[in-house]
Every structure is written in C-alpha cells, then in structure tokens.
Amino acid sequence: MSERFVDLAVENGIAVVTINRPKSLNALSVEVLEQLGQVIKDIEKDDKVRAVIITGSGSKAFVAGADIAAMVNMTAKEARDYSIFAHKVFESIEQLPKPVIAAVNGYALGGGNELAMACDIRVASSTANFGQPEITLGIIPGFGGTQRLSRLVGKGKAMELILTGKMIDAKTAESIGLVNVVVPPEKLMETAKEIAQKIINFSPLAISFAKEAVNRGIEMTLEQGCKYEIELWTDCFTTEDQDIGMTAFLNKQKPTFKGA
Ligand code: CO8
C-alpha cells in the first residue's frame, strides 16, 4: 500500500485534512497532490461533511511549497503537467460547495501559500510565515500564486512578494489581507473549528451560493457579477431554507436549516 501523506478526520460535520509529510516540511509532491485531490473528491460526496479545515502536520510547516527535490530534474513538459494537476486540485478546493478554512500552523511558502489562498478563509498561528520564494529558485509561482495573490492583496503587494521572494510573518500577512485572523499556536485549531461551526449552522445551500457568487463574480465585470448575483439570490428563494430562516427571524426563533 502506498504511503499516506494526507490524513482525514471527520468530527461533528467538520473534516480536518492534514498534509502529513513532515520530513519535507509537508512539501507538495505529486503523491501528496493526488491524495489531497482524492480526499477533496471524497469530501464533496460525503453529506456528513459540512465544512473543511486544511492544515499541516507538526508545528513547523503548513506546507513549505512544491517539492523542490522532485522538481529539480523535471523537463518543461513534466513541470507543465505538475502545474496543471496542482491547479486542478486547488480549483476543486476553491469550487467545493462547502466552506474551506486553512489553519496555517507554520511556513506557508510557494505552493503552500498557494494552497492556503485556494481556501476560503485563512486562520494563522502567530508563528506562521508566508511567502512566494519561487524567484529565489529561478522560477515563478506555478500553482496559482501570481493570480490569487494579486486578487487577495492587490497588485502592488503581490508584485513585492513575488519579485523579492521575501517572507512575511503572520501579523504582516494579516495587515495586507492575506490572512483573516492570527491567533496563538495553541488556539489555531480551536479558532478554525469555531469559524467552521459558525458557518455550518447556516443553510448549506446559501453557503454554497455565496461562495459561488464571490468566486465567480471576482472573474467578471461588476455588471456581469451583479447579474450573476441576481441569479443565485433568486435560487435562494427556491429553497426551504429561505422560508425557514426568514420565518424564524419574524417569530424571534433560532432557525434550524434543512439544506433543502
Ligand atoms: N521541497 C522539498 N523539500 C523541502 C522543501 C520543499 N519545498 N522545503 C523544505 N524541505 C526539506 C529540506 O530539504 C530539509 O530536508 P533534509 O532534512 O532532508 O535536508 C527539510 O525539509 C527541513 O528543511 P530545512 O532544513 O531547510 O529547514 P529550515 O528550518 O532550515 O528552513 C525553510 C525552513 C525556510 C522553510 C526552508 O526549508 C525552505 O526555504 N524551504 C523551501 C521553501 C521554498 O522555496 N518553497 C517554494 C518551493 S517552489 C514552489 O512551491 C513552486 C510552486 C509552483 C511549482 C510549479 C511547478 C511546475
């Protein structure tokens, strides 16, 4: 049996996905990406899973990047296939109709920062560090970094990080909008789970529509995005959850959403 590099644990509707390759600081080899892709597929099909947290094993690294040892002798064709495959896996995370939170426990470099950025929300340990150091290796980010970073933090900061390859600490990452919240290391998983729990109390359909509206809309003009929002907003009114949520509000009760 092949070695497991991605662990999955589901508890109370929250799936914790742990990249577990500590000897290489959880670097994303092809095997890791394949296993991560399969775990995300399994999670999509599993109705019991309502939210996902992605983290790294140990306290040193979330993911220290793509696997440099595996890339050093790659041909251009192999590098292209590697990049295309990673993009597919990260898109499957971004497009998963369930919320995904990155719990960044340490270094999130290169492909690691790109993985965190494919998630919906990033919670960071105060000991985490972020960066796109590809330029120091004679390459550029190849798992979405040049695109998602500028969308998240703006072109100027993205250029600075990508062109200098410098690392920034968690507080700096928070100040530029790369990270949503920074917490002490011992509070990392607790905080990520609290955020996941808060979200999964809401209608899973509304959550998936909201995620789709934001993710698709950001690729469109404002006018197109607003039209797209109208469609998804309208879809909300075909759900029982819309009735449940509004009726509960008017009756001063707490809604229990059905996901229907
Ligand atoms: N790949 C493979 N192995 C790694 C990686 C990595 N990204 N990062 C760390 N390791 C290994 C080290 O080689 C070392 O192995 P060994 O013990 O066998 O020597 C072990 O992990 C521990 O690392 P260090 O001894 O270096 O630990 P330090 O505490 O001294 O340093 C750092 C920690 C700062 C995180 C350092 O390891 C480092 O700089 N790592 C590389 C970070 C990096 O450059 N990441 C970007 C990689 S490129 C990338 O992600 C591109 C994505 C798009 C690719 C598109 C492909 C087509």
Side-chain angles (χ1 to χ4, degrees), residues 2 4 7-8 25 37 39 47 73-74 83 123 131 135 140 172 183 187 200 214 229 238-239 244 246:
S2 62
R4 288 300 306 169
D7 300 330
L8 172 64
L25 302 188
V39 162
D47 289 340
N73 290 322
M74 269 184 188
S83 172
V123 182
I135 205 78
I140 68 168
T172 309
V183 294
K187 295 267 181 209
I200 65 180
V214 173
E229 184 188 78
T238 66
T239 70
I244 290 168
M246 292 190 176

Side-chain angles (χ1 to χ4, degrees), residues 11-12 21-22 31 36 66 76 83 85 89 112 118 159 181 242 247:
E11 200 184 338
N12 301 328
R21 198 180 168 227
E31 291 84 355
L36 179 60
S83 172
F85 183 59
V89 174
M159 281 291 192
V181 61
Q242 172 267 328
T247 304

Side-chain angles (χ1 to χ4, degrees), residues 67-110:
D67 189 330
I68 301 170
M71 284 187 294
V72 62
N73 290 322
M74 269 184 188
T75 62
K77 159 90 174 67
E78 287 164 343
R80 183 181 165 79
D81 291 346
Y82 185 35
S83 172
I84 289 171
F85 183 59
H87 272 277
K88 277 202 185 122
V89 174
F90 289 10
E91 273 162 25
S92 74
I93 293 170
E94 198 166 60
Q95 291 167 12
L96 191 73
K98 307 179 187 197
V100 186
I101 297 166
V104 182
N105 52 309
Y107 289 113
L109 300 176

Side-chain angles (χ1 to χ4, degrees), residues 23-25 27 60 64-69 71 79 82-83 107 109-111 114 133-134 137 139 141-143 167:
K23 270 194 280 184
S24 302
L25 302 188
K60 190 164 173 181
D67 189 330
I68 301 170
M71 284 187 294
Y82 185 35
S83 172
Y107 289 113
L109 300 176
E114 291 166 305
E134 288 87 345
L137 299 168
I139 59 170
F143 294 173
M167 256 193 257

Side-chain angles (χ1 to χ4, degrees), residues 166-219:
K166 74 176 188 182
M167 256 193 257
I168 54 173
D169 62 19
K171 269 287 166 201
T172 309
E174 186 186 30
S175 74
I176 63 171
L178 177 56
V179 157
N180 295 78
V181 61
V182 179
V183 294
E186 64 278 8
K187 295 267 181 209
L188 180 69
M189 287 311 286
E190 183 187 320
T191 307
K193 283 182 183 170
E194 274 168 17
I195 296 171
Q197 189 57 55
K198 180 167 179 60
I199 298 172
I200 65 180
N201 288 334
F202 302 128
S203 161
L205 294 169
I207 288 163
S208 71
F209 294 155
K211 187 169 162 172
E212 190 181 335
V214 173
N215 279 334
R216 293 285 299 276
I218 207 162
E219 306 305 326

